[in-house]
């Protein structure tokens, strides 16, 4: 039940990003077009991809809250991971489009210097997006939600992209008009880089990949539990906003069922308290002597 409540609370962060991206992308595209700034226009297109990604996160969070059914006995927690994977493809497509438009700007007969209103717009939007990042990262850490954490880092990268656009436009005002489309190229690369990171994380989770460092930390926690003589096997996988752990431990063969069960419960409690995992399945094997 706690995992479902956290998903519901995480929707606030997704809605915050969606509202911010709608307002900022519209403003940047309008100002970028009227002021003749390739960098600000590219930044606005970047925000439209982030809007799609935020909507995908929201849809994923909504679907993930559905209870287990006949076809999904483990629940729907991985829906948010699938949504992130789809969003990464959309971001790749827009990144390539921005890159092509920036290259075309270099071939134009005259590269016009954008108006300074584009620079101040980029700077103001950077401040707004950094504020959204601070809100979402605090909420993500509070509810221990990985999807919202990734969205928060995307918010932060968008703030940096807007700062890059500001620098490019400012440089163009100083007699370097080619710097504006150059910054648009940089924005395109950043969009594709963010998309690649989201794709790798989602694909890794969907194929049951898991961080070796965290796995070793889990093993240490189990091994330090009183009554555990050794660990025969320990596996973990990400299931939406949860981590599921399966562990096989060896205990003294002279212990009765109740005593062995107490050790297993102790392992579960230590894993819940220290690592905030969603579920731990403990299998007990008796020692050979």
């Amino acid at each position: 039940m706690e995992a479902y409540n956290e998903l519901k609370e995480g929707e606030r962060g997704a809605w915050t990003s969606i509202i911010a991206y709608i307002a900022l992308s519209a403003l940047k595209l309008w100002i970028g077009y009227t002021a003749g700034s390739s960098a600000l226009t590219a930044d606005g297109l970047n925000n439209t991809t982030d809007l799609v990604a935020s909507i995908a996160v929201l849809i994923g969070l909504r679907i993930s809250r559905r209870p287990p059914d006949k076809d999904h006995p483990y629940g729907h927690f991985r829906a948010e991971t699938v949504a992130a994977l789809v969003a990464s493809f959309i971001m790749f497509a827009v990144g390539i489009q921005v890159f092509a438009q920036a290259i075309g700007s270099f071939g134009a007969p005259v590269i016009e210097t954008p108006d300074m209103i584009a620079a101040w717009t980029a700077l103001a939007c950077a401040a707004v997006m950094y504020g959204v990042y601070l809100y979402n990262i605090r909420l993500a850490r509070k509810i221990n939600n990985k999807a919202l954490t990734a969205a928060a880092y995307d918010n932060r990268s968008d703030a940096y992209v807007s700062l890059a656009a500001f620098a490019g436009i400012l440089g163009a005002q100083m007699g370097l008009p080619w710097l504006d489309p150059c910054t648009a190229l940089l924005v395109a690369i950043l969009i594709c880089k963010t998309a690649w990171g989201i794709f790798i994380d989602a694909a890794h989770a969907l194929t049951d990949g898991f961080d070796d460092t965290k796995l070793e930390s889990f093993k240490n926690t189990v091994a330090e539990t009183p009554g555990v003589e050794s660990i025969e096997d320990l596996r973990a996988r990400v299931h939406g906003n949860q981590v599921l752990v399966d562990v096989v431990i060896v205990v003294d063969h002279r212990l009765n069922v109740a005593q062995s069960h107490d050790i297993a419960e102790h392992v579960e409690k230590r894993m819940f308290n220290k690592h905030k995992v969603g579920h731990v399945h403990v299998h007990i094997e008796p020692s050979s002597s």
Side-chain angles (χ1 to χ4, degrees):
M1 181 61 69
E2 183 179 354
Y4 290 101
N5 292 333
E6 289 177 349
L7 289 170
K8 185 176 181 179
E9 194 171 355
E11 289 182 15
R12 294 208 319 263
W15 273 114
T16 301
S17 293
I18 289 171
I19 293 171
Y21 284 135
I22 289 175
L24 296 186
S25 61
L27 178 65
K28 290 175 183 178
L29 290 173
W30 176 54
I31 297 295
Y33 176 76
T34 57
S37 172
S38 299
L40 190 62
T41 301
D43 192 10
L45 288 173
N46 175 39
N47 285 162
T48 62
T49 66
D50 296 313
L51 172 61
V52 173
S54 295
I55 292 174
V57 169
L58 178 63
I59 293 173
L61 289 170
R62 286 282 177 90
I63 297 176
S64 295
R65 286 172 52 197
R66 293 180 181 176
D69 54 33
K70 184 175 66 173
D71 295 328
H72 303 85
Y74 291 98
H76 299 75
F77 293 103
R78 279 190 170 174
E80 61 180 270
T81 311
V82 175
L85 192 67
V86 173
S88 71
F89 294 136
I90 298 173
M91 293 176 70
F92 270 126
V94 174
I96 293 171
Q97 179 186 2
V98 172
F99 187 86
Q101 288 178 347
I103 292 294
S105 297
F106 285 103
V110 179
I111 301 178
E112 298 182 358
T113 300
D115 194 275
M116 270 303 291
I117 191 175
W120 301 127
T121 301
L123 187 61
C125 290
V128 172
M129 283 314 305
Y130 198 79
V132 174
Y133 156 71
L134 291 176
Y135 174 79
N136 277 341
I137 196 63
R138 287 170 183 165
L139 179 59
R141 288 169 179 168
K142 176 186 174 184
I143 65 176
N144 193 32
N145 189 290
K146 296 185 184 301
L148 190 57
T149 299
Y153 287 137
D154 189 31
N155 298 149
R156 185 178 64 180
S157 70
D158 292 325
Y160 293 158
V161 168
S162 293
L163 282 177
F166 169 74
I169 299 167
L170 197 63
Q173 286 288 330
M174 297 171 66
L176 302 171
W178 50 265
L179 195 57
D180 185 63
C182 275
T183 306
L185 283 178
L186 176 62
V187 170
I189 293 171
L190 288 173
I191 293 173
C192 291
K193 182 177 182 296
T194 302
W196 177 252
I198 294 173
F199 170 79
I200 289 296
D201 288 343
H204 191 247
L206 289 173
T207 54
D208 284 340
F210 199 78
D211 185 85
D212 288 338
T213 304
K214 290 184 179 179
L215 201 62
E216 194 63 31
S217 179
F218 290 173
K219 288 180 180 179
N220 291 336
T221 299
V222 175
E224 293 168 0
T225 304
V228 176
E229 294 190 354
S230 63
I231 301 173
E232 283 199 356
D233 187 34
L234 190 149
R235 302 179 185 182
R237 55 195 171 100
V238 177
H239 192 63
N241 68 331
Q242 299 185 90
V243 173
L244 309 182
V245 179
D246 297 300
V247 59
V248 180
I249 61 174
V250 176
V251 302
D252 193 328
H253 68 284
R254 294 168 295 183
L255 298 178
N256 59 36
V257 173
Q259 291 170 321
S260 299
H261 177 72
D262 288 341
I263 294 173
E265 282 198 333
H266 197 186
V267 168
E268 292 176 1
K269 289 179 181 178
R270 284 173 60 86
M271 291 294 292
F272 292 147
N273 295 334
K274 188 171 182 178
H275 302 288
K276 309 298 182 184
V277 298
H279 177 75
V280 182
H281 176 74
V282 183
H283 179 78
I284 296 175
E285 292 284 348
S287 60
S288 56
S289 59

